Amino acid sequence: MKILGREPAVLLSLIAVLVKLVAAFGVEVSGEQQAVINAVAAAAVGVALAVMANDGLGAALVGFIQAALALAVGFGLDWSAEQQAVVLSVAAGVVAMWDRTQVTAPVPAGAGKTVSPVS
């Protein structure tokens, strides 16, 4: 699969190099922050690929939200572990509610029922 006509790995490499370029020319970004930026980029590419493949979008979205929260914390968001857990729980719940509307059973309702000769 391609995004903007390019392989996902090429786009992620470009993002990583651009982050290093920005850090080299005066924007103070620690090594840890660079790693988290790259993780968010990888999660975003995962979401894009899931959308393109129509498969696993819910898991990709939850992963992206986790990466984005890690990025926010890496850049100074001062949330306790409990606050982060609540946000991630709500995100997972919302995604699960959406996923439920997207899932189709492989067999029609009632197809597996057996009829009793007694009744």
Side-chain angles (χ1 to χ4, degrees):
M1 275 191 201
K2 294 186 177 191
I3 300 173
L4 302 175
R6 301 284 183 247
E7 296 291 329
V10 173
L11 290 175
L12 292 175
S13 296
L14 176 63
I15 291 169
V17 169
L18 290 175
V19 169
K20 290 176 184 168
L21 176 72
V22 168
F25 285 96
V27 176
E28 292 197 25
V29 182
S30 71
E32 181 179 310
Q33 289 171 329
Q34 289 180 35
V36 176
I37 290 169
N38 289 323
V40 170
V45 168
V47 170
L49 290 173
V51 167
M52 292 167 57
N54 292 325
D55 188 33
L57 182 58
L61 283 173
V62 171
F64 177 75
I65 292 167
Q66 289 173 333
L69 183 57
L71 178 66
V73 169
F75 276 93
L77 179 65
D78 189 24
W79 281 2
S80 68
E82 291 82 15
Q83 289 172 312
Q84 294 175 48
V86 167
V87 168
L88 291 175
S89 295
V90 169
V94 169
V95 169
M97 293 287 291
W98 178 79
D99 269 349
R100 181 68 182 105
T101 66
Q102 306 303 307
V103 175
T104 305
V107 295
K113 291 183 181 179
T114 58
V115 179
S116 171
V118 178
S119 51

